[in-house]
Amino acid sequence: MTYALFLTILGAAIATVLAGIGSAKGVGSAAQTAMGVLSEDSSMFGKMLVLTLLPGTQGLYGFIVGFLILVSSGVLGGAPDITLAQGLAYAGASLAIGFGGLFSGIAQGKAAVSGIAMTAKDEKNFSKGMVSVTLVEIYALLAFIVSLLIVIQVPNINA
């Protein structure tokens, strides 16, 4: 296995695993709180589900970037022809969504826990909780876009 191929596969793994960890921790925290609320009032299931699911988007973004790295590089096509510069670029592209997804997923989970607690006290606060949770999403989207833009340009690197 060449260094370029190793860096490419490592990049796909970093994007997927780190963003997935952030989502798992965020969704897990929100789900624990939501289950407590639902044990008292099951009619809030829909609202609790929405607030619980939002931290899961980071894992999806990481998976998309990881998948695109594998497709763009030819790893999934069976004929990877990657230069060392391209392998480094793929690995670098993964860092934005990997770390962006890790930290924003955890932070979004904390915001979701607060939104769930606020909604449990008064259902009219649901939209306020949603706004706070989606504000964190902006940073996950920015990391995703940066990774995506880099992955799209890597095949053009000829060094």
Side-chain angles (χ1 to χ4, degrees):
M1 179 184 295
T2 67
Y3 289 121
L5 182 59
F6 172 77
L7 290 168
T8 300
I9 293 170
L10 180 64
I14 287 170
T16 307
V17 170
L18 291 181
I21 290 169
S23 280
K25 288 183 74 67
V27 169
S29 297
Q32 283 180 313
T33 305
M35 293 303 106
V37 171
L38 292 174
S39 71
E40 298 292 323
D41 183 359
S42 63
S43 71
M44 289 188 164
F45 178 74
K47 291 177 179 170
M48 297 298 108
L49 181 63
V50 170
L51 288 167
T52 300
L53 284 175
L54 281 171
T57 57
Q58 285 82 346
L60 180 62
Y61 301 151
F63 171 76
I64 291 169
V65 169
F67 179 77
L68 289 176
I69 287 172
L70 295 174
V71 170
S72 175
S73 66
V75 170
L76 286 183
D81 184 25
I82 311 155
T83 66
L84 182 57
Q86 289 172 328
L88 285 166
Y90 283 127
S94 73
L95 296 176
I97 191 56
F99 285 106
L102 172 67
F103 293 115
S104 68
I106 293 167
Q108 195 170 36
K110 291 176 181 178
V113 165
S114 297
I116 289 166
M118 213 167 61
T119 302
K121 288 186 179 188
D122 184 356
E123 283 192 67
K124 293 176 192 169
N125 289 325
F126 174 71
S127 59
K128 294 173 189 166
M130 281 292 297
V131 168
S132 296
V133 174
T134 54
L135 287 174
V136 181
E137 185 74 19
I138 292 168
Y139 299 98
L141 282 169
L142 293 175
F144 174 61
I145 291 168
V146 166
S147 289
L148 192 60
L149 291 173
I150 296 170
V151 170
I152 290 168
Q153 289 303 313
V154 170
N156 298 326
I157 296 173
N158 296 319

